[in-house]
């Protein structure tokens, strides 16, 4: 960013509604480019929605390689993965501590001939999309990750699919925003925004632009000075519940993120996360012991030492889905109101790239080729049916 650009943006006041990883990352980038930014968070903690309940996997290759028609999504995810090391370094420097960005990538295992075919398709798709991938024979896979004790026929290494600890990330992002001079107003559910030469929040503060970074809950209504409700044109966010188990770290647990078709294992310093269910249309955060037991059994079948790991806790998060499961990034039908939402399974991965393209649009009116396919206005045309997530746990 040039000094001129920072000066040009210095007078722009932006309200970011939603203090999850996307809202916080957008706020940090907008501030870096010279805007004056306030984040409104409905809860009493940042990231209390889905961010703190996520596994923190940066799964650019795993999540998108197999979606045949999702080249734009793969490109966005790849760019996000490439931005992560610099993003993490900035957050760590400003936030005063680490986010546990892993050095190693993820492993994907096949236990049956059908799963080997699935891996073959994933490897070919990664190559076609320039996503780093390495095929591993069963013996190589076990050498790479000795914690894998179950029967495996082969695997993949996805070196670009790293991970972070989401709770540490939130802690550091919060500190980074404070240090950068971004205001964070907690316990402020914004239900109504008054439009009158700018955007007025319920606390009376006025802004020239608004970024909506809300999750699966409700969005604010925008009301004109005559009292008319103005439509953003945004589709409803679809709740997709995910249940997850945290096991105590034990000797012999995996060091890598390990994906199988029905489960993933994401080891952090403090615990080993095992996830996750995908329950479309469910917005509650209740935990079903049978689902948790199924996840644990699937993880233990892969990595036997996890059988000895005490269960620390289990929880559910509600992913923000969209009609096509791709994010909404860009200006809404109300000029000056931007969406950065609906990141479904990939909020943490996509945070730095979303922040970058949103800042381009909010401050400079520039819509990059990378961002165009994610315009919130795309549902003016009939939406395609959601792509199948049946290959994902
Ligand atoms: N990104 C993994 C999940 O949503 O469960």
């Amino acid at each position: 960013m040039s000094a001129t650009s920072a000066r040009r943006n210095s007078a722009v006041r932006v309200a970011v509604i939603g203090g999850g990883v996307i809202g916080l990352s957008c706020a940090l980038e907008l501030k870096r480019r010279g805007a004056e930014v306030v984040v409104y968070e409905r809860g009493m903690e940042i990231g209390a929605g889905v961010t703190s309940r996520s596994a923190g996997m940066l799964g650019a290759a795993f999540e998108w390689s197999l979606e045949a028609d999702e080249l734009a999504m793969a490109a966005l995810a790849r760019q996000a993965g490439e931005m992560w090391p610099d993003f993490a370094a900035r957050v760590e420097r400003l936030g005063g501590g680490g986010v546990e960005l892993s050095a190693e990538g993820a492993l994907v295992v096949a236990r049956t001939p059908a799963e080997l075919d699935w891996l073959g398709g994933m490897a070919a798709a990664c190559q076609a999309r320039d996503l780093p991938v390495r095929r591993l024979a069963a013996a190589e896979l076990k050498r790479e990750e000795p914690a894998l004790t179950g029967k495996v026929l082969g695997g993949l290494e996805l070196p670009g699919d790293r991970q972070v600890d989401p709770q540490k990330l939130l802690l550091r992002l919060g500190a980074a925003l404070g240090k950068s001079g971004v205001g964070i107003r907690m316990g402020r559910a914004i239900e109504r925004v008054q439009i009158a030469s700018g955007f007025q929040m319920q606390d009376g503060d006025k802004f020239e632009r608004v970024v909506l970074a809300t999750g699966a809950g409700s969005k604010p209504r925008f009301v004109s000075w005559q009292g008319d409700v103005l439509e953003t044109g945004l589709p409803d966010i679809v709740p997709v519940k995910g249940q997850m188990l945290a096991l105590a770290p034990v000797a012999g647990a995996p060091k890598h993120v390990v994906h199988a078709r029905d489960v993933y294992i994401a080891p952090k310093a403090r615990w080993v996360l095992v996830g996750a269910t995908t329950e479309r249309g469910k917005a509650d955060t209740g935990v079903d012991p049978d689902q948790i037991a199924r996840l644990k059994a699937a993880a233990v079948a892969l990595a036997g030492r996890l059988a000895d790991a005490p269960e620390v806790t289990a929880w559910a998060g509600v992913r923000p889905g969209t009609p096509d499961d791709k994010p909404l990034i860009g200006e809404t039908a109300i000029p000056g109101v931007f969406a950065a939402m609906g990141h479904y399974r990939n909020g943490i991965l996509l945070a730095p790239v979303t922040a970058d393209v949103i800042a381009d649009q909010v401050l400079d009116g520039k819509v990059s080729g990378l961002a165009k396919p994610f315009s919130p206005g795309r549902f003016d045309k009939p939406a395609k049916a959601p792509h199948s997530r049946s290959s994902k746990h």
Side-chain angles (χ1 to χ4, degrees):
M1 180 195 52
S2 68
T4 327
S5 159
R7 263 199 308 279
R8 199 175 56 240
N9 291 325
S10 64
V12 179
R13 296 200 81 224
V14 185
V16 175
I17 303 181
V21 68
I22 296 292
L24 301 175
S25 304
C26 289
L28 192 64
E29 183 59 20
L30 288 160
K31 180 71 190 178
R32 190 175 78 91
R33 298 195 195 186
E36 197 181 322
V37 189
V38 175
V39 177
Y40 288 88
E41 164 54 40
R42 66 168 52 237
M44 294 311 292
E45 284 171 42
I46 54 172
V50 71
T51 305
S52 62
R53 293 158 189 257
S54 71
M57 298 180 299
L58 310 177
F62 183 78
E63 291 288 343
W64 295 105
S65 57
L66 275 181
E67 309 297 340
D69 56 346
E70 299 300 359
L71 292 177
M73 199 59 225
L76 190 76
R78 190 180 59 230
Q79 174 75 12
E82 286 169 9
M83 290 174 80
W84 250 98
D86 282 351
F87 177 69
R90 185 151 61 92
V91 171
E92 289 181 340
R93 181 171 40 78
L94 288 168
V99 301
E100 252 183 61
L101 176 65
S102 64
E104 70 285 342
L107 301 174
V108 192
V109 305
R111 300 156 295 187
T112 63
E115 288 182 357
L116 262 188
D117 286 349
W118 172 65
L119 285 195
M122 190 177 285
C126 284
Q127 277 155 358
R129 289 159 173 71
D130 259 346
L131 291 159
V133 62
R134 188 162 72 98
R135 292 199 76 148
L136 301 171
E140 284 176 294
L141 182 61
K142 290 202 168 185
R143 257 199 314 277
E144 196 73 35
E145 182 49 271
L148 293 173
T149 52
K151 179 181 160 217
V152 291
L153 299 184
L156 294 184
E157 184 186 3
L158 305 173
D161 282 19
R162 300 161 77 175
Q163 63 164 336
V164 293
D165 180 314
Q167 285 90 5
K168 286 191 181 158
L169 175 65
L170 281 168
L171 189 71
R172 302 306 171 203
L173 265 172
L177 289 176
K179 182 140 191 207
S180 307
V182 172
I184 306 183
R185 299 182 187 164
M186 307 279 197
R188 307 286 182 96
I190 301 293
E191 274 142 25
R192 176 190 164 103
V193 177
Q194 187 81 41
I195 306 182
S197 67
F199 300 97
Q200 186 165 25
M201 302 295 129
Q202 280 151 230
D203 60 8
D205 210 351
K206 270 193 157 183
F207 298 87
E208 290 150 87
R209 315 258 202 284
V210 174
V211 176
L212 286 176
T214 44
S218 60
K219 298 188 284 274
R221 281 178 316 132
F222 289 83
V223 182
S224 75
W225 63 271
Q226 298 108 319
D228 299 328
V229 175
L230 304 182
E231 296 299 334
T232 56
L234 291 169
D236 286 339
I237 294 294
V238 182
V240 188
K241 177 175 172 178
Q243 299 185 46
M244 175 128 68
L245 167 68
L247 297 171
V250 283
K255 300 272 182 283
H256 298 79
V257 166
V258 177
H259 295 278
R261 245 179 146 158
D262 53 350
V263 69
Y264 57 74
I265 302 169
K268 316 291 174 191
R270 82 174 81 175
W271 50 28
V272 180
L273 298 180
V274 178
T277 62
T278 301
E279 302 169 62
R280 203 170 176 88
K282 285 203 188 167
D284 69 279
T285 52
V287 170
D288 172 359
D290 290 345
Q291 293 282 6
I292 297 301
R294 178 194 68 76
L295 288 170
K296 182 161 185 196
V300 168
L302 285 171
R305 293 303 300 275
L306 293 180
D308 307 330
E311 295 184 17
V312 181
T313 183
W315 63 74
V318 182
R319 306 174 184 93
T322 62
D324 61 6
D325 283 344
K326 288 182 279 186
L328 308 168
I329 306 174
E331 195 160 23
T332 70
I334 304 177
V337 178
F338 296 80
M341 63 202 314
H343 288 69
Y344 186 40
R345 301 171 63 92
N346 299 287
I348 296 195
L349 167 68
L350 297 174
V353 73
T354 302
D356 195 48
V357 299
I358 274 291
D360 283 348
Q361 297 188 35
V362 170
L363 299 180
D364 298 321
K366 267 192 345 214
V367 182
S368 68
L370 203 58
K372 215 178 232 158
F374 306 103
S375 154
R378 67 183 181 271
F379 299 105
D380 293 346
K381 301 168 209 87
K384 279 200 288 176
H387 53 258
S388 161
R389 310 302 300 185
S390 58
S391 63
K392 301 282 160 37
H393 20 66

